[in-house]
Amino acid sequence: MPGYQNLHTHTTYVDGTLPPEAMIEAALKKGCDSIGFSEHSYVPFDDRYSMSPDAALEYVREINALRDKYEGTIEVFIGVEHDYCTTVPVQGLDYRIGSAHYVKRGDEYVTVDAGADHQKQIANEYFGGDYYAMAEAYFETVAGIIDKADIDIIGHFDLIAKYNFDGSLFDETRPRYRSAALEAMDMILKRCRLFEVNTGMLYRYGKQEPYPSVFLLKELQTRSGEVILSSDSHDAQSLCYKFREMLVLLKACGFKYIKRLTKSGFIDIII
């Protein structure tokens, strides 16, 4: 099996802690033979966590230069985390990760990715305290990503459960929640079959399951969906976090291979 690859990597262009070249050096120390960068695309109402169009141009230029510099040492790919709310797509990419961090209520977009207390506030203020209505709105948004751009990978599919430690916010086994998630999954699979298995919240919050959850991974496998490992890294230490354990988990869920990006496109890697 080749060395690890992580395509969901953030840098100081947005909310990462290290510049791109430092992340490449960290990837080499982790035993990676390739790395992909995926900064947050432009979201007009939230410039704290997205690149401006001008920054995106500089980002692509720099990653291209680093690709040339490290040729023969490590493969470097240029991607973006394309949000549902993005209005100016980034050009010159090798791949796009489609993700949703916000839901729309009226004329306003509100984030579901700002902590448990904020999620509670959003549920109470915009959904009458109904967490399942918020989850339905979130999954409807996720399903809509495939209509926004040419998406190669679905990112952190069930991000809505990020802060739901031990069911403290809502019950992920409730039919209403699962129905919303599976309906979104079925819609996405018509256009995009590749979902990332994201270990970011295992690293940052100590959760026991990745995105998607084990239940959703099993459902994805029965639907002939495909998976790629991702650590959603914002620092050096998180790169490829618990990838070995994820391979064991994926085999237990019935997956026979993971996907990997090459210069010729995505290929299968038997696990």
Side-chain angles (χ1 to χ4, degrees):
M1 188 171 181
Y4 287 142
Q5 175 185 79
N6 182 65
L7 298 183
H8 196 154
T9 311
H10 296 287
T11 74
T12 46
Y13 269 97
V14 183
D15 56 348
T17 61
L18 294 173
E21 186 163 12
M23 289 299 279
I24 291 174
E25 292 292 340
L28 286 167
K29 291 178 182 177
K30 289 278 187 176
C32 296
D33 53 20
S34 63
I35 184 173
F37 291 95
S38 57
E39 291 297 4
H40 295 281
S41 58
Y42 180 60
V43 175
F45 53 83
D46 193 348
D47 58 5
R48 298 169 299 166
Y49 299 109
S50 69
M51 292 186 295
S52 69
D54 287 342
L57 292 173
E58 174 60 23
Y59 162 71
V60 172
R61 185 206 64 77
E62 180 174 357
I63 305 304
N64 266 316
L66 289 170
R67 170 153 49 195
D68 293 340
K69 178 178 179 178
Y70 283 86
E71 185 176 4
T73 303
I74 185 172
E75 281 191 297
V76 177
F77 295 99
I78 308 171
V80 75
E81 187 173 359
H82 186 102
D83 197 277
Y84 176 90
C85 305
T86 290
T87 56
V88 183
V90 182
Q91 304 300 323
L93 304 174
D94 298 313
Y95 64 96
R96 286 183 173 85
I97 299 173
S99 66
H101 300 85
Y102 312 87
V103 294
K104 191 174 185 180
R105 304 308 290 170
D107 295 327
E108 185 178 1
Y109 281 100
V110 292
T111 183
V112 297
D113 189 23
D117 289 341
H118 188 264
Q119 262 199 7
K120 291 177 185 177
Q121 178 184 340
I122 296 302
N124 289 330
E125 184 174 347
Y126 294 92
F127 297 93
D130 186 346
Y131 246 93
Y132 303 99
M134 184 169 70
E136 288 165 346
Y138 167 77
F139 282 117
E140 182 179 353
T141 303
V142 173
I145 292 170
I146 56 173
D147 296 322
K148 294 290 185 175
D150 291 328
I151 300 300
D152 300 289
I153 304 168
I154 298 300
H156 44 60
F157 174 67
D158 49 343
L159 179 73
I160 190 74
K162 182 174 184 175
Y163 308 106
N164 191 36
F165 294 91
D166 299 320
S168 58
L169 297 176
F170 59 95
D171 183 358
E172 293 178 49
T173 69
R174 283 277 295 272
R176 191 174 167 197
Y177 175 82
R178 289 186 168 181
S179 293
L182 294 178
E183 182 176 343
M185 183 182 291
D186 289 336
M187 290 294 296
I188 290 167
L189 286 170
K190 295 176 182 179
R191 300 265 294 279
C192 177
R193 307 207 65 79
L194 185 55
F195 287 58
E196 68 171 10
V197 178
N198 183 317
T199 63
M201 67 177 173
L202 278 72
Y203 172 76
R204 288 192 289 274
Y205 299 101
K207 293 196 77 171
Q208 299 303 304
E209 296 187 4
Y211 312 110
S213 68
V214 172
F215 167 78
L216 292 173
L217 281 173
K218 291 178 178 178
E219 292 291 331
L220 182 65
Q221 193 277 330
T222 65
R223 290 161 163 78
S224 300
E226 298 178 316
V227 290
I228 188 167
L229 294 180
S230 155
S231 52
D232 198 347
S233 294
H234 292 68
D235 58 36
Q237 292 73 27
S238 61
L239 276 167
C240 307
Y241 185 71
K242 291 199 172 183
F243 275 14
R244 185 174 302 171
E245 291 87 341
M246 291 303 102
L247 292 174
V248 174
L249 173 63
L250 289 172
K251 290 180 74 172
C253 290
F255 289 95
K256 305 299 183 185
Y257 62 90
I258 61 173
K259 302 296 281 190
R260 179 184 180 89
L261 183 60
T262 71
K263 292 178 180 178
S264 301
F266 289 94
I267 62 171
D268 299 346
I269 302 294
I270 304 300
I271 58 176

